[in-house]
Amino acid sequence: YTTLFRSHRIAVGKTLTAEFEAKLKSEAKASVVRVAPHDGVITMEYSPARLNIFIDEAKKIIRINCG
């Protein structure tokens, strides 16, 4: 998953749609995607096969990571 960072850094600031989420998941070779609101609460367990996408109120991507 370390190869995902170039394409996913470009995604920051873009609006998350179902199609874009699927594209990011495919590029990351992730088996699961977790979309979390910027002010939401998420569990801290680590899952290397999971792509985490953090969004703001307008569904703009503010951060992406694996785990």
Side-chain angles (χ1 to χ4, degrees):
Y1 299 108
T2 57
T3 59
L4 79 111
F5 294 109
R6 176 181 289 216
S7 62
H8 289 110
R9 277 188 306 214
I10 295 168
V12 172
K14 296 191 175 167
T15 302
L16 183 65
T17 63
E19 295 81 17
F20 196 41
E21 180 182 325
K23 180 178 188 262
L24 294 171
K25 178 181 178 184
S26 175
E27 289 175 356
K29 298 182 176 86
S31 59
V32 178
V33 174
R34 174 169 60 181
V35 177
H38 70 97
D39 59 352
V41 177
I42 60 171
T43 60
M44 295 302 294
E45 85 280 353
Y46 182 76
S47 175
R50 179 176 55 216
L51 180 65
N52 297 304
I53 304 174
F54 298 86
I55 58 172
D56 67 10
E57 306 88 8
K59 295 192 79 173
K60 299 276 186 198
I61 298 170
I62 55 176
R63 187 176 66 180
I64 299 177
N65 63 26
C66 287

